[in-house]
């Protein structure tokens, strides 16, 4: 283990960038499902009261919360579980251990990035840091 890693001082900023960019991409999945922005044909005529509709709500709300860094750990944990379920329900049946073949790469990556965020926290530039500073 390196103790004098010169990049270590950037860890909170890099963690924040990972959180924000991942949350933004996740948020876009939700806006595509709920508002057709950006328009993705496969989400046309999607019933709002369906699993895909519920996923869209979680993607939008969870994406916003993670972008601003509010309740990062519990939100990231919930979304990690959601993406694990998505992977096994939608992708794993075709080729369980081959996400490249079954189209499940985004679900698997979101799952593990969110799991990491649930353990690591928000990093820099997060509302959690301001609201919960007294608890540190």
């Amino acid at each position: 283990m390196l103790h004098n890693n010169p990049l270590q001082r950037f860890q909170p900023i890099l963690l924040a960038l990972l959180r924000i960019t991942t949350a933004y991409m996740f948020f876009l999945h939700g806006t595509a499902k709920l508002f057709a922005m950006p328009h993705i044909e496969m989400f046309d005529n999607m019933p709002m009261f369906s699993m895909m509709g519920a996923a869209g709500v979680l993607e939008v709300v969870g994406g916003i919360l993670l972008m601003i860094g509010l309740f990062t750990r519990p939100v990231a944990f919930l979304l990690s579980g959601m993406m694990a379920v998505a992977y096994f329900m939608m992708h794993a049946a075709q080729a369980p251990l081959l996400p490249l073949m079954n189209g499940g790469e985004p679900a698997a990556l979101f799952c593990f990035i969110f799991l990491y965020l649930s353990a690591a926290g928000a990093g820099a530039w997060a509302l959690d840091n301001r609201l919960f500073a007294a608890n540190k």
Side-chain angles (χ1 to χ4, degrees), residues 25-125:
M25 289 181 226
F26 197 67
F27 170 79
L28 289 177
H29 281 265
T31 60
K33 288 179 180 113
L34 299 179
F35 311 116
M37 292 173 30
H39 181 257
I40 308 287
E41 213 170 290
M42 87 174 176
F43 299 136
D44 284 350
N45 302 315
M46 182 198 64
M48 182 61 124
F49 295 102
S50 66
M51 275 204 320
M52 290 288 274
V57 171
L58 285 171
E59 288 162 350
V60 167
V61 174
I64 290 170
L65 289 172
L66 288 181
M67 276 190 274
I68 65 174
L70 184 59
F71 306 118
T72 301
R73 291 176 193 268
V75 169
F77 188 75
L78 174 78
L79 297 179
S80 176
M82 174 188 142
M83 295 315 296
V85 169
Y87 180 81
F88 287 107
M89 284 186 71
M90 304 298 291
H91 304 285
Q94 292 97 345
L97 298 177
L98 297 170
L100 180 62
M101 304 276 304
N102 67 26
E105 280 180 305
L109 285 171
F110 279 129
C111 176
F112 283 99
I113 291 170
F114 291 147
L115 186 61
Y116 175 71
L117 290 173
S118 72
W125 313 319

Side-chain angles (χ1 to χ4, degrees), residues 65 68-75 121-122 126-136:
L65 289 172
I68 65 174
L70 184 59
F71 306 118
T72 301
R73 291 176 193 268
V75 169
L127 286 179
D128 285 346
N129 297 336
R130 291 180 183 262
L131 294 176
F132 305 115
N135 295 337
K136 289 186 180 181

